[in-house]
Amino acid sequence: MLHKYFNRSEFACKCGCGFDVVDAELLQFLVAVREHFNAPVTINSACRCESHNRRVGGSTGSLHKSGRAADIVVAGVEPADVVHFLDNVMSPGGLGEYSTFTHVDSRSGAARWCGE
Ligand SMILES: [Zn+2]
């Protein structure tokens, strides 16, 4: 067990390769979201090995490849609201707002973007 809210298996690469490293700072962001909204957080995609990242069209320098990024959905909460909370309270390195999910990562420096 990784944390009371999250199992390590939820972070594992979807290809079945077993890559399931979870960055401690990333986990803090997800726990903060879970507690602030008091709602389940689904991790659509966290760890990705090189080949899986390529298969899903991830960028070459994707933080998903080092276990430092997660695409999340918070039950009953719009991605815009998740972004707003994270940006103002946790100030993560990377924050991407998409129509159906939120990307958050623990890069150093700040990147903010909107996707499809
Ligand atoms: Zn994999």
Side-chain angles (χ1 to χ4, degrees):
M1 185 132 156
L2 180 70
H3 187 273
K4 63 177 174 172
Y5 297 127
F6 299 100
N7 288 308
R8 187 170 289 275
S9 59
E10 298 175 72
F11 291 81
C13 180
K14 297 274 195 281
C15 88
C17 65
F19 174 45
D20 63 359
V21 166
V22 182
D23 178 69
E25 196 183 357
L26 175 66
L27 182 60
Q28 281 183 3
F29 300 150
L30 303 189
V31 168
V33 167
R34 172 67 182 78
E35 294 190 332
H36 173 76
F37 293 104
N38 193 27
V41 174
T42 300
I43 300 171
N44 284 359
S45 178
C47 293
R48 294 176 192 163
C49 66
E50 187 71 48
S51 64
H52 184 65
N53 186 61
R54 212 174 307 125
R55 200 175 312 127
V56 299
S59 64
T60 316
S62 174
L63 278 285
H64 287 279
K65 295 197 299 185
S66 52
R68 296 177 65 185
D71 296 338
I72 62 172
V73 175
V74 185
V77 182
E78 294 295 323
D81 295 330
V82 177
V83 166
H84 188 254
F85 165 73
L86 280 170
D87 202 13
N88 285 288
V89 179
M90 301 303 287
S91 200
L95 198 48
E97 180 185 336
Y98 293 80
S99 58
T100 57
F101 67 92
T102 303
H103 169 105
V104 56
D105 67 56
S106 61
R107 77 185 69 195
S108 49
R112 300 289 182 266
W113 68 92
C114 282
E116 299 282 302

